[in-house]
Amino acid sequence: MASGSGGGSIFSRNSSSGNVPTMRGLVSFIADLRNARARELEEKRINKELANIRQKFRDGGLNGYQKKKYVCKLLYIYILGWNVDFGHLEAVNLISATKYSEKQIGYLAVTLFLHEEHELLHLVVNSIRKDLLDHNELNNCLALHAIANVGGKEMGEALSGEVHRLLISPASKAFVKKKAALTLLRLYRKFPNIIQNEWAERIISLMDDPDMGVALSVTSLVTALVQDNLEQFKGSYVKAANRLKRIVVDNECADGYYYYKVPCPWIQVKLLKLLQYYPPPEDSHVRKLIREALQKIMDSALEMPKNVQQNNAQNAVLFEAINLVIHLDTEQDLMVQISTRLGKFIASRETNVRYLGLEAMTHLAARAETLDPIKKHQSIIIGSLRDRDISVRRQGLDLLYSMCDQTNAQAIVQELLRYLQSADYAIREEMVLKIAILTEKYATDVQWYVDISLRLIAMAGDHVSDEVWQRVIQIVTNNEELQVYAAQNILQYVKSDCHETLVKIGGYLLGEFGHLIADNKGCSPIEQFMALNGKLRGCPSSTRAIILSSFVKFVNLFPEIKPQLLQTFRNYSHSLDSELQQRACEYLALASMPTDDLLRTVCDEMPPFPERTSALLSRLHQKHATTSDKRTWVIGGKDANTDPKEFNLVHQPTGLKRSFTNATPRDNAASNGNNTNGVNAVTSDLAGLDFNIDTNKVLKAPNLASAAHLSPDWDIGYYRLLLRTEGVLYEDAQIQIGLRTEYRGQLGCLIFYFTNRSSFPMDSFTTTLDNRSAEILKTDIKGLPDTSIPPDGQTQQTIMFEAKNVFADPPTFRVSYLAGALQALTLQLPVYLHKYMDAAELSGDDFFKRWKQIGGAPREAQRIFGLVNKNRTMDIDFVKRVVRGFRWGILEGLDPNSKNIVGATVLHTTEGKFGCLLRLEPNFDTQMYRITIRATDEAVPPILIKAMEERLSQGIEGVI
């Protein structure tokens, strides 16, 4: 036996006793023999069993129990790692079984054996649909599990409607609704187009479901949908605020959903996150709901429970509440509280608390007007870079990047450079990006920018992405004051033993600006040539290409070293690398021409780079992109969050002129020739293309609360209340909506009364206001109706309207509720311009004087019209009632014709008062009107004439 065979032998050499078997080697050898024997026996046993099962299936005649038994065996064998393809069809057939136990094994086998693209999957679609339509809830759940696990696009499109039906059906049990919601969520994450626009309102209504599990699952679905469909799911905001207040403040939580005394922390976190996707609400009542819930969460967190699980649940809710407070940025008292608490959290002994504290403080830095509260903890934040947990270190890096400004930039950059040498490899590239961005962003000194940038690249080496060194070249090219200093410094680096990235920068900068330092000591043309030539052999072909391009510029700039340059081109004209060979041959031909005209044209100085989005910021943004829920803010200071889609530093007040581009030096390589061998070719060729999607062109879901979706018979109550202060706005067999109004000056108050006229309760009662004149007609919802109205019960809601200026479009109002199925109606509210008018009394002289002062067009509008139907009539009493209903003061005796009506009124708005004058000439014989209105604002007459024509043309048979 060979005794020196090395580690493969179970013997080891011992100088005193010869070849002695070691115990460890012997045990290992015996174990290997046993394992090999076991595998051999297992393979024989499994092959025998597979042959037996295959034969059983082939012979046929198996009952349901036997099929289930053999598929179970195949499942076990499959889990062990053996191929059981012949059993796939049997598993598919088992899904159609009538017994639950057999069907269950069939579904289990299908979800394990098959994948989304499997060819057999289309065979089970009809079976799954049948189980979804079944009245057996257990079969529903099996089908939902299968869709969630192996449902591809084809299956999702075919069955998503049935899944949605199970979710909204009043006959579905709570556990079926939960699974249906989560199945839709799974499908949506894979195929967003599966969720149809018309489902939005119905899905939102389930956030009020009395079962906390259903509400939790639906909230998870809505949170995912909101991130891509803000406008479509905006109704979820009020639902989330109301449910959060009921859980946190009113303790409306089922006993089974308390987690260590914390009421359902999972749904609290999801609701708090959902609220962050929308801007702060303008309605005072909604703000009050959110404020009360947040204050209660803050107060509860003052107690530090000893139980670890309770503490974790409480902290999860607390930190999400802190993020919402920062997002709202309107609750100053709460902002002061969280600034103090975050300072304690980042110094906590618990790793999770430190991490969450740093993350919340990063969010605060992205929103806060001033960074002073954060700068107080700068030493602790810097210390987090040396935390034992890498996630804390990474979060500390994000916070330092976000809290950086002109006052602390140099200190933070120096600290990051110091830490870079010992930083984890996993975060070095990100650190380099952030240091480069901060250096550029806050550089007020030319030398400091160059020194830090080159030092960064020298230290980071392979962790420097192409965007970093290309960015340095762009900045130097676009700033003349940098060029001499940068060329001098990079030459010193190239002369020493430096990283390849610095050689690339040196090749470009010396080729462009080497002539500016040629007269300086140690920077002569031959020294520049020798420095770059010395790096040629040790560099990859892409770097050699840049150096050769630099040398052809030397031919134009430094004729005294032309022989050495030509010899270099000759040497590389025989290179095996086709890219280098082509460059060398072309450059040699250029340099050997009898005249230098073409050479000078080709080697002309590079122009400044065009302004585009910063490649560094784009790269950093890509690194922070994740597959989890989208953030509502980006890592960086407040300026970076002004417009998250625009990562642009052009407006920063620094001494550097910035022209951002995603282009590399290759983009302008017509003269420089810096074409690398395919490096960045794709990104450079596409640099001018805009891949941003214009969201305005994307088809949007219809706004069901708009005037385009008014319900039948909406106009009866509308025209009735157009001239009255209270009455019934709408009624049918199920609901009655009463309205009482009061107007004072520019303010109007509407109180709605909703009465359930049916014999069953109305659940998830929701109202949605759509204000087309939102800029000049401000609304404030003072209260929300109850989400559930019992039979013959009533609830109410108050909405304030303030006329900022003249408006033309009245708001619309959508009411929806669950009464078995979703019931909804959209009404137009009688909030019109004349509601903000007060009748005026004028003497005859004053009236005619003001009539002449206002004059004709454009402050005058006139219309001649008749009744809408010949069966309708008009008389003087009807006309006067309408005129008074429009809040005109009738001035008697001013018109020679006693049948004509003259009136005056004052329109009140926040921006001023407008006088209005009226002359109405009814012709009772021809059933016609001529109406003339003059006002001190030209926008008023057309609006008032339109409204009065609509009402007067209805005649006496119209409802008044």
PDB file of all heavy atoms in Angstrom, residues 784-815:
ATOM      1  N   LEU A 784     -67.830  61.726   9.352  1.00  0.00           N
ATOM      2  CA  LEU A 784     -68.085  60.605   8.462  1.00  0.00           C
ATOM      3  C   LEU A 784     -69.326  59.853   8.945  1.00  0.00           C
ATOM      4  O   LEU A 784     -69.579  59.766  10.146  1.00  0.00           O
ATOM      5  CB  LEU A 784     -66.883  59.644   8.446  1.00  0.00           C
ATOM      6  CG  LEU A 784     -65.581  60.195   7.863  1.00  0.00           C
ATOM      7  CD1 LEU A 784     -64.460  59.183   8.047  1.00  0.00           C
ATOM      8  CD2 LEU A 784     -65.748  60.534   6.390  1.00  0.00           C
ATOM      9  N   PRO A 785     -70.100  59.303   8.030  1.00  0.00           N
ATOM     10  CA  PRO A 785     -71.262  58.510   8.462  1.00  0.00           C
ATOM     11  C   PRO A 785     -70.814  57.193   9.087  1.00  0.00           C
ATOM     12  O   PRO A 785     -69.682  56.737   8.860  1.00  0.00           O
ATOM     13  CB  PRO A 785     -72.024  58.280   7.153  1.00  0.00           C
ATOM     14  CG  PRO A 785     -70.968  58.330   6.092  1.00  0.00           C
ATOM     15  CD  PRO A 785     -69.959  59.343   6.559  1.00  0.00           C
ATOM     16  N   ASP A 786     -71.679  56.589   9.864  1.00  0.00           N
ATOM     17  CA  ASP A 786     -71.390  55.279  10.426  1.00  0.00           C
ATOM     18  C   ASP A 786     -71.212  54.272   9.292  1.00  0.00           C
ATOM     19  O   ASP A 786     -71.899  54.339   8.271  1.00  0.00           O
ATOM     20  CB  ASP A 786     -72.522  54.823  11.349  1.00  0.00           C
ATOM     21  CG  ASP A 786     -72.679  55.741  12.555  1.00  0.00           C
ATOM     22  OD1 ASP A 786     -71.681  56.377  12.944  1.00  0.00           O
ATOM     23  OD2 ASP A 786     -73.801  55.832  13.092  1.00  0.00           O
ATOM     24  N   THR A 787     -70.305  53.336   9.489  1.00  0.00           N
ATOM     25  CA  THR A 787     -70.058  52.351   8.433  1.00  0.00           C
ATOM     26  C   THR A 787     -71.164  51.308   8.358  1.00  0.00           C
ATOM     27  O   THR A 787     -71.282  50.595   7.357  1.00  0.00           O
ATOM     28  CB  THR A 787     -68.712  51.650   8.659  1.00  0.00           C
ATOM     29  OG1 THR A 787     -68.701  51.056   9.963  1.00  0.00           O
ATOM     30  CG2 THR A 787     -67.570  52.646   8.543  1.00  0.00           C
ATOM     31  N   SER A 788     -71.980  51.196   9.404  1.00  0.00           N
ATOM     32  CA  SER A 788     -73.086  50.242   9.404  1.00  0.00           C
ATOM     33  C   SER A 788     -74.355  50.946   9.878  1.00  0.00           C
ATOM     34  O   SER A 788     -74.348  51.624  10.909  1.00  0.00           O
ATOM     35  CB  SER A 788     -72.770  49.057  10.314  1.00  0.00           C
ATOM     36  OG  SER A 788     -73.817  48.116  10.305  1.00  0.00           O
ATOM     37  N   ILE A 789     -75.441  50.796   9.106  1.00  0.00           N
ATOM     38  CA  ILE A 789     -76.731  51.419   9.440  1.00  0.00           C
ATOM     39  C   ILE A 789     -77.761  50.309   9.625  1.00  0.00           C
ATOM     40  O   ILE A 789     -78.037  49.566   8.674  1.00  0.00           O
ATOM     41  CB  ILE A 789     -77.191  52.388   8.340  1.00  0.00           C
ATOM     42  CG1 ILE A 789     -76.082  53.403   7.991  1.00  0.00           C
ATOM     43  CG2 ILE A 789     -78.450  53.120   8.770  1.00  0.00           C
ATOM     44  CD1 ILE A 789     -76.447  54.329   6.851  1.00  0.00           C
ATOM     45  N   PRO A 790     -78.344  50.170  10.799  1.00  0.00           N
ATOM     46  CA  PRO A 790     -79.347  49.114  11.012  1.00  0.00           C
ATOM     47  C   PRO A 790     -80.642  49.443  10.277  1.00  0.00           C
ATOM     48  O   PRO A 790     -80.852  50.574   9.826  1.00  0.00           O
ATOM     49  CB  PRO A 790     -79.540  49.126  12.531  1.00  0.00           C
ATOM     50  CG  PRO A 790     -79.204  50.525  12.938  1.00  0.00           C
ATOM     51  CD  PRO A 790     -78.113  50.972  12.007  1.00  0.00           C
ATOM     52  N   PRO A 791     -81.552  48.476  10.176  1.00  0.00           N
ATOM     53  CA  PRO A 791     -82.854  48.759   9.544  1.00  0.00           C
ATOM     54  C   PRO A 791     -83.564  49.905  10.246  1.00  0.00           C
ATOM     55  O   PRO A 791     -83.588  49.982  11.478  1.00  0.00           O
ATOM     56  CB  PRO A 791     -83.614  47.436   9.707  1.00  0.00           C
ATOM     57  CG  PRO A 791     -82.542  46.395   9.833  1.00  0.00           C
ATOM     58  CD  PRO A 791     -81.405  47.064  10.543  1.00  0.00           C
ATOM     59  N   ASP A 792     -84.122  50.834   9.457  1.00  0.00           N
ATOM     60  CA  ASP A 792     -84.798  52.032   9.963  1.00  0.00           C
ATOM     61  C   ASP A 792     -83.866  52.952  10.751  1.00  0.00           C
ATOM     62  O   ASP A 792     -84.324  53.875  11.427  1.00  0.00           O
ATOM     63  CB  ASP A 792     -86.001  51.661  10.852  1.00  0.00           C
ATOM     64  CG  ASP A 792     -87.046  50.877  10.068  1.00  0.00           C
ATOM     65  OD1 ASP A 792     -87.251  51.193   8.879  1.00  0.00           O
ATOM     66  OD2 ASP A 792     -87.636  49.945  10.651  1.00  0.00           O
ATOM     67  N   GLY A 793     -82.565  52.704  10.662  1.00  0.00           N
ATOM     68  CA  GLY A 793     -81.597  53.555  11.348  1.00  0.00           C
ATOM     69  C   GLY A 793     -81.185  54.734  10.493  1.00  0.00           C
ATOM     70  O   GLY A 793     -81.506  54.813   9.296  1.00  0.00           O
ATOM     71  N   GLN A 794     -80.488  55.666  11.115  1.00  0.00           N
ATOM     72  CA  GLN A 794     -80.072  56.881  10.405  1.00  0.00           C
ATOM     73  C   GLN A 794     -78.674  57.283  10.856  1.00  0.00           C
ATOM     74  O   GLN A 794     -78.296  57.096  12.019  1.00  0.00           O
ATOM     75  CB  GLN A 794     -81.054  58.019  10.677  1.00  0.00           C
ATOM     76  CG  GLN A 794     -80.804  59.267   9.831  1.00  0.00           C
ATOM     77  CD  GLN A 794     -81.775  60.389  10.149  1.00  0.00           C
ATOM     78  OE1 GLN A 794     -81.580  61.130  11.107  1.00  0.00           O
ATOM     79  NE2 GLN A 794     -82.848  60.502   9.350  1.00  0.00           N
ATOM     80  N   THR A 795     -77.916  57.824   9.931  1.00  0.00           N
ATOM     81  CA  THR A 795     -76.619  58.408  10.246  1.00  0.00           C
ATOM     82  C   THR A 795     -76.494  59.692   9.451  1.00  0.00           C
ATOM     83  O   THR A 795     -77.276  59.944   8.523  1.00  0.00           O
ATOM     84  CB  THR A 795     -75.467  57.439   9.896  1.00  0.00           C
ATOM     85  OG1 THR A 795     -74.221  58.000  10.320  1.00  0.00           O
ATOM     86  CG2 THR A 795     -75.398  57.179   8.391  1.00  0.00           C
ATOM     87  N   GLN A 796     -75.536  60.529   9.826  1.00  0.00           N
ATOM     88  CA  GLN A 796     -75.413  61.824   9.149  1.00  0.00           C
ATOM     89  C   GLN A 796     -73.952  62.169   8.896  1.00  0.00           C
ATOM     90  O   GLN A 796     -73.032  61.579   9.463  1.00  0.00           O
ATOM     91  CB  GLN A 796     -76.088  62.931   9.958  1.00  0.00           C
ATOM     92  CG  GLN A 796     -75.430  63.262  11.279  1.00  0.00           C
ATOM     93  CD  GLN A 796     -76.209  64.338  12.027  1.00  0.00           C
ATOM     94  OE1 GLN A 796     -77.403  64.225  12.246  1.00  0.00           O
ATOM     95  NE2 GLN A 796     -75.510  65.390  12.432  1.00  0.00           N
ATOM     96  N   GLN A 797     -73.766  63.149   8.036  1.00  0.00           N
ATOM     97  CA  GLN A 797     -72.435  63.619   7.676  1.00  0.00           C
ATOM     98  C   GLN A 797     -72.499  65.106   7.352  1.00  0.00           C
ATOM     99  O   GLN A 797     -73.469  65.584   6.764  1.00  0.00           O
ATOM    100  CB  GLN A 797     -71.900  62.848   6.454  1.00  0.00           C
ATOM    101  CG  GLN A 797     -70.497  63.282   6.019  1.00  0.00           C
ATOM    102  CD  GLN A 797     -69.972  62.467   4.857  1.00  0.00           C
ATOM    103  OE1 GLN A 797     -70.714  61.709   4.245  1.00  0.00           O
ATOM    104  NE2 GLN A 797     -68.684  62.585   4.566  1.00  0.00           N
ATOM    105  N   THR A 798     -71.455  65.826   7.768  1.00  0.00           N
ATOM    106  CA  THR A 798     -71.385  67.271   7.544  1.00  0.00           C
ATOM    107  C   THR A 798     -70.195  67.599   6.649  1.00  0.00           C
ATOM    108  O   THR A 798     -69.079  67.122   6.887  1.00  0.00           O
ATOM    109  CB  THR A 798     -71.251  68.023   8.871  1.00  0.00           C
ATOM    110  OG1 THR A 798     -72.352  67.697   9.717  1.00  0.00           O
ATOM    111  CG2 THR A 798     -71.198  69.528   8.644  1.00  0.00           C
ATOM    112  N   ILE A 799     -70.445  68.418   5.632  1.00  0.00           N
ATOM    113  CA  ILE A 799     -69.385  68.859   4.726  1.00  0.00           C
ATOM    114  C   ILE A 799     -69.477  70.366   4.575  1.00  0.00           C
ATOM    115  O   ILE A 799     -70.557  70.915   4.343  1.00  0.00           O
ATOM    116  CB  ILE A 799     -69.496  68.192   3.339  1.00  0.00           C
ATOM    117  CG1 ILE A 799     -69.508  66.662   3.460  1.00  0.00           C
ATOM    118  CG2 ILE A 799     -68.347  68.637   2.432  1.00  0.00           C
ATOM    119  CD1 ILE A 799     -69.641  65.947   2.134  1.00  0.00           C
ATOM    120  N   MET A 800     -68.323  71.037   4.706  1.00  0.00           N
ATOM    121  CA  MET A 800     -68.241  72.488   4.527  1.00  0.00           C
ATOM    122  C   MET A 800     -67.706  72.803   3.128  1.00  0.00           C
ATOM    123  O   MET A 800     -66.788  72.147   2.637  1.00  0.00           O
ATOM    124  CB  MET A 800     -67.329  73.099   5.581  1.00  0.00           C
ATOM    125  CG  MET A 800     -67.745  72.849   7.017  1.00  0.00           C
ATOM    126  SD  MET A 800     -69.296  73.632   7.468  1.00  0.00           S
ATOM    127  CE  MET A 800     -68.836  75.363   7.317  1.00  0.00           C
ATOM    128  N   PHE A 801     -68.286  73.824   2.506  1.00  0.00           N
ATOM    129  CA  PHE A 801     -67.838  74.289   1.191  1.00  0.00           C
ATOM    130  C   PHE A 801     -67.509  75.777   1.297  1.00  0.00           C
ATOM    131  O   PHE A 801     -68.334  76.563   1.780  1.00  0.00           O
ATOM    132  CB  PHE A 801     -68.917  74.087   0.125  1.00  0.00           C
ATOM    133  CG  PHE A 801     -69.172  72.653  -0.211  1.00  0.00           C
ATOM    134  CD1 PHE A 801     -70.120  71.917   0.486  1.00  0.00           C
ATOM    135  CD2 PHE A 801     -68.470  72.030  -1.231  1.00  0.00           C
ATOM    136  CE1 PHE A 801     -70.364  70.592   0.174  1.00  0.00           C
ATOM    137  CE2 PHE A 801     -68.714  70.701  -1.554  1.00  0.00           C
ATOM    138  CZ  PHE A 801     -69.651  69.971  -0.844  1.00  0.00           C
ATOM    139  N   GLU A 802     -66.328  76.152   0.832  1.00  0.00           N
ATOM    140  CA  GLU A 802     -65.910  77.557   0.847  1.00  0.00           C
ATOM    141  C   GLU A 802     -65.598  77.998  -0.577  1.00  0.00           C
ATOM    142  O   GLU A 802     -64.752  77.413  -1.257  1.00  0.00           O
ATOM    143  CB  GLU A 802     -64.676  77.744   1.728  1.00  0.00           C
ATOM    144  CG  GLU A 802     -64.199  79.191   1.778  1.00  0.00           C
ATOM    145  CD  GLU A 802     -62.940  79.376   2.605  1.00  0.00           C
ATOM    146  OE1 GLU A 802     -62.425  78.357   3.114  1.00  0.00           O
ATOM    147  OE2 GLU A 802     -62.466  80.517   2.732  1.00  0.00           O
ATOM    148  N   ALA A 803     -66.299  79.054  -1.014  1.00  0.00           N
ATOM    149  CA  ALA A 803     -66.094  79.580  -2.368  1.00  0.00           C
ATOM    150  C   ALA A 803     -64.911  80.546  -2.359  1.00  0.00           C
ATOM    151  O   ALA A 803     -65.014  81.656  -1.845  1.00  0.00           O
ATOM    152  CB  ALA A 803     -67.353  80.282  -2.855  1.00  0.00           C
ATOM    153  N   LYS A 804     -63.799  80.089  -2.921  1.00  0.00           N
ATOM    154  CA  LYS A 804     -62.621  80.957  -3.016  1.00  0.00           C
ATOM    155  C   LYS A 804     -62.805  82.002  -4.107  1.00  0.00           C
ATOM    156  O   LYS A 804     -62.362  83.141  -3.969  1.00  0.00           O
ATOM    157  CB  LYS A 804     -61.381  80.109  -3.306  1.00  0.00           C
ATOM    158  CG  LYS A 804     -60.992  79.148  -2.203  1.00  0.00           C
ATOM    159  CD  LYS A 804     -60.348  79.871  -1.048  1.00  0.00           C
ATOM    160  CE  LYS A 804     -59.822  78.898  -0.009  1.00  0.00           C
ATOM    161  NZ  LYS A 804     -59.203  79.599   1.143  1.00  0.00           N
ATOM    162  N   ASN A 805     -63.464  81.588  -5.188  1.00  0.00           N
ATOM    163  CA  ASN A 805     -63.698  82.485  -6.314  1.00  0.00           C
ATOM    164  C   ASN A 805     -64.888  81.937  -7.096  1.00  0.00           C
ATOM    165  O   ASN A 805     -65.558  81.010  -6.658  1.00  0.00           O
ATOM    166  CB  ASN A 805     -62.444  82.595  -7.196  1.00  0.00           C
ATOM    167  CG  ASN A 805     -62.363  83.919  -7.919  1.00  0.00           C
ATOM    168  OD1 ASN A 805     -63.385  84.515  -8.274  1.00  0.00           O
ATOM    169  ND2 ASN A 805     -61.150  84.406  -8.147  1.00  0.00           N
ATOM    170  N   VAL A 806     -65.126  82.487  -8.250  1.00  0.00           N
ATOM    171  CA  VAL A 806     -66.269  82.075  -9.061  1.00  0.00           C
ATOM    172  C   VAL A 806     -66.025  80.665  -9.601  1.00  0.00           C
ATOM    173  O   VAL A 806     -64.979  80.391 -10.192  1.00  0.00           O
ATOM    174  CB  VAL A 806     -66.477  83.059 -10.227  1.00  0.00           C
ATOM    175  CG1 VAL A 806     -67.632  82.605 -11.099  1.00  0.00           C
ATOM    176  CG2 VAL A 806     -66.706  84.460  -9.695  1.00  0.00           C
ATOM    177  N   PHE A 807     -66.981  79.760  -9.411  1.00  0.00           N
ATOM    178  CA  PHE A 807     -66.859  78.391  -9.906  1.00  0.00           C
ATOM    179  C   PHE A 807     -68.084  78.054 -10.746  1.00  0.00           C
ATOM    180  O   PHE A 807     -69.162  78.629 -10.579  1.00  0.00           O
ATOM    181  CB  PHE A 807     -66.700  77.401  -8.745  1.00  0.00           C
ATOM    182  CG  PHE A 807     -67.895  77.296  -7.842  1.00  0.00           C
ATOM    183  CD1 PHE A 807     -68.876  76.337  -8.059  1.00  0.00           C
ATOM    184  CD2 PHE A 807     -68.049  78.165  -6.762  1.00  0.00           C
ATOM    185  CE1 PHE A 807     -69.977  76.249  -7.229  1.00  0.00           C
ATOM    186  CE2 PHE A 807     -69.130  78.075  -5.918  1.00  0.00           C
ATOM    187  CZ  PHE A 807     -70.106  77.122  -6.157  1.00  0.00           C
ATOM    188  N   ALA A 808     -67.908  77.072 -11.646  1.00  0.00           N
ATOM    189  CA  ALA A 808     -68.984  76.741 -12.586  1.00  0.00           C
ATOM    190  C   ALA A 808     -69.563  75.349 -12.384  1.00  0.00           C
ATOM    191  O   ALA A 808     -70.730  75.119 -12.684  1.00  0.00           O
ATOM    192  CB  ALA A 808     -68.460  76.859 -14.021  1.00  0.00           C
ATOM    193  N   ASP A 809     -68.760  74.405 -11.879  1.00  0.00           N
ATOM    194  CA  ASP A 809     -69.191  73.015 -11.813  1.00  0.00           C
ATOM    195  C   ASP A 809     -69.542  72.625 -10.381  1.00  0.00           C
ATOM    196  O   ASP A 809     -68.695  72.682  -9.490  1.00  0.00           O
ATOM    197  CB  ASP A 809     -68.084  72.094 -12.326  1.00  0.00           C
ATOM    198  CG  ASP A 809     -67.741  72.367 -13.776  1.00  0.00           C
ATOM    199  OD1 ASP A 809     -68.683  72.509 -14.567  1.00  0.00           O
ATOM    200  OD2 ASP A 809     -66.540  72.447 -14.103  1.00  0.00           O
ATOM    201  N   PRO A 810     -70.772  72.210 -10.142  1.00  0.00           N
ATOM    202  CA  PRO A 810     -71.138  71.745  -8.801  1.00  0.00           C
ATOM    203  C   PRO A 810     -70.498  70.393  -8.513  1.00  0.00           C
ATOM    204  O   PRO A 810     -70.245  69.608  -9.428  1.00  0.00           O
ATOM    205  CB  PRO A 810     -72.668  71.631  -8.867  1.00  0.00           C
ATOM    206  CG  PRO A 810     -72.969  71.428 -10.301  1.00  0.00           C
ATOM    207  CD  PRO A 810     -71.917  72.174 -11.069  1.00  0.00           C
ATOM    208  N   PRO A 811     -70.207  70.086  -7.255  1.00  0.00           N
ATOM    209  CA  PRO A 811     -69.593  68.793  -6.906  1.00  0.00           C
ATOM    210  C   PRO A 811     -70.591  67.648  -7.042  1.00  0.00           C
ATOM    211  O   PRO A 811     -71.803  67.857  -7.056  1.00  0.00           O
ATOM    212  CB  PRO A 811     -69.154  68.988  -5.450  1.00  0.00           C
ATOM    213  CG  PRO A 811     -70.069  70.045  -4.924  1.00  0.00           C
ATOM    214  CD  PRO A 811     -70.396  70.943  -6.071  1.00  0.00           C
ATOM    215  N   THR A 812     -70.057  66.432  -7.131  1.00  0.00           N
ATOM    216  CA  THR A 812     -70.889  65.226  -7.161  1.00  0.00           C
ATOM    217  C   THR A 812     -70.552  64.365  -5.956  1.00  0.00           C
ATOM    218  O   THR A 812     -69.487  64.500  -5.353  1.00  0.00           O
ATOM    219  CB  THR A 812     -70.684  64.436  -8.462  1.00  0.00           C
ATOM    220  OG1 THR A 812     -69.287  64.217  -8.658  1.00  0.00           O
ATOM    221  CG2 THR A 812     -71.249  65.191  -9.643  1.00  0.00           C
ATOM    222  N   PHE A 813     -71.445  63.455  -5.630  1.00  0.00           N
ATOM    223  CA  PHE A 813     -71.396  62.736  -4.365  1.00  0.00           C
ATOM    224  C   PHE A 813     -71.798  61.289  -4.627  1.00  0.00           C
ATOM    225  O   PHE A 813     -72.855  61.033  -5.214  1.00  0.00           O
ATOM    226  CB  PHE A 813     -72.385  63.402  -3.397  1.00  0.00           C
ATOM    227  CG  PHE A 813     -72.215  63.025  -1.955  1.00  0.00           C
ATOM    228  CD1 PHE A 813     -71.067  63.331  -1.264  1.00  0.00           C
ATOM    229  CD2 PHE A 813     -73.247  62.378  -1.271  1.00  0.00           C
ATOM    230  CE1 PHE A 813     -70.928  63.021   0.075  1.00  0.00           C
ATOM    231  CE2 PHE A 813     -73.123  62.061   0.058  1.00  0.00           C
ATOM    232  CZ  PHE A 813     -71.959  62.383   0.743  1.00  0.00           C
ATOM    233  N   ARG A 814     -70.941  60.337  -4.252  1.00  0.00           N
ATOM    234  CA  ARG A 814     -71.251  58.921  -4.459  1.00  0.00           C
ATOM    235  C   ARG A 814     -71.480  58.246  -3.113  1.00  0.00           C
ATOM    236  O   ARG A 814     -70.687  58.403  -2.180  1.00  0.00           O
ATOM    237  CB  ARG A 814     -70.130  58.204  -5.214  1.00  0.00           C
ATOM    238  CG  ARG A 814     -70.475  56.751  -5.567  1.00  0.00           C
ATOM    239  CD  ARG A 814     -69.484  56.185  -6.557  1.00  0.00           C
ATOM    240  NE  ARG A 814     -69.709  54.787  -6.889  1.00  0.00           N
ATOM    241  CZ  ARG A 814     -70.564  54.355  -7.802  1.00  0.00           C
ATOM    242  NH1 ARG A 814     -71.298  55.229  -8.468  1.00  0.00           N
ATOM    243  NH2 ARG A 814     -70.703  53.066  -8.059  1.00  0.00           N
ATOM    244  N   VAL A 815     -72.544  57.494  -3.032  1.00  0.00           N
ATOM    245  CA  VAL A 815     -72.897  56.733  -1.830  1.00  0.00           C
ATOM    246  C   VAL A 815     -72.890  55.261  -2.197  1.00  0.00           C
ATOM    247  O   VAL A 815     -73.534  54.860  -3.183  1.00  0.00           O
ATOM    248  CB  VAL A 815     -74.293  57.139  -1.299  1.00  0.00           C
ATOM    249  CG1 VAL A 815     -74.657  56.302  -0.076  1.00  0.00           C
ATOM    250  CG2 VAL A 815     -74.318  58.622  -0.965  1.00  0.00           C
TER     251      VAL A 815
END
